[in-house]
Amino acid sequence: MFNLKTLQRNKTVKYGLPMILLVVGGSFGLREFTQLRYDAQKIRQRLDPDLEANMDMKRPSVTLEEEYEKMKENNLDEWKNIRGPRPWEDSREYQEQQRRSKTD
């Protein structure tokens, strides 16, 4: 029936079959690698319950209204935008110049 040389000459067997095996095998391989990634993230996210309780106690409960009241107290009419020095400028000299112009 089929001869081995006939199969080797067939373009579908020569190029198509390895391509299909590569695509199907690659999808299974990628699934395993991505699963490892998600498993590692789950492990990192787990914290000790005592540590987690301490973290929650240290966080102050700040509301949006409190922050809004703080921002209302700022006087934005006298605000001046001051740029930082560029890499080729001397930063100390530039800062002194900005301080002098700020007091004027």
Side-chain angles (χ1 to χ4, degrees), residues 55-63 66:
M55 287 176 56
D56 288 339
M57 295 179 110
K58 290 180 182 178
R59 273 190 219 149
S61 58
V62 179
T63 63
E66 291 173 0

Side-chain angles (χ1 to χ4, degrees), residues 66-86:
E66 291 173 0
E67 287 298 315
Y68 177 71
E69 293 299 324
K70 286 181 190 176
M71 291 303 293
K72 254 181 23 179
E73 292 173 4
N74 292 340
N75 188 2
L76 298 178
D77 294 333
E78 296 177 8
W79 180 75
K80 183 178 178 186
N81 187 17
I82 300 173
R83 73 165 178 84
R86 295 197 171 116

Side-chain angles (χ1 to χ4, degrees), residues 1-16:
M1 285 218 154
F2 282 108
N3 196 345
L4 187 60
K5 288 192 179 217
T6 309
L7 285 176
Q8 286 178 344
R9 285 190 213 138
N10 190 345
K11 287 186 178 184
T12 303
V13 173
K14 190 174 183 181
Y15 298 112

Side-chain angles (χ1 to χ4, degrees), residues 4-6 9 22-23 27-28 30 33-34 36 39 49 61 63-64 67 72 83 88-89 91 93-94 98 101:
L4 187 60
K5 288 192 179 217
T6 309
R9 285 190 213 138
L22 188 74
V23 169
S27 68
F28 284 111
L30 284 175
F33 281 118
T34 54
L36 285 173
D39 290 343
S61 58
T63 63
L64 189 60
E67 287 298 315
K72 254 181 23 179
R83 73 165 178 84
W88 57 87
E89 294 175 340
S91 66
E93 178 184 315
Y94 187 76
Q98 290 297 325
S101 66

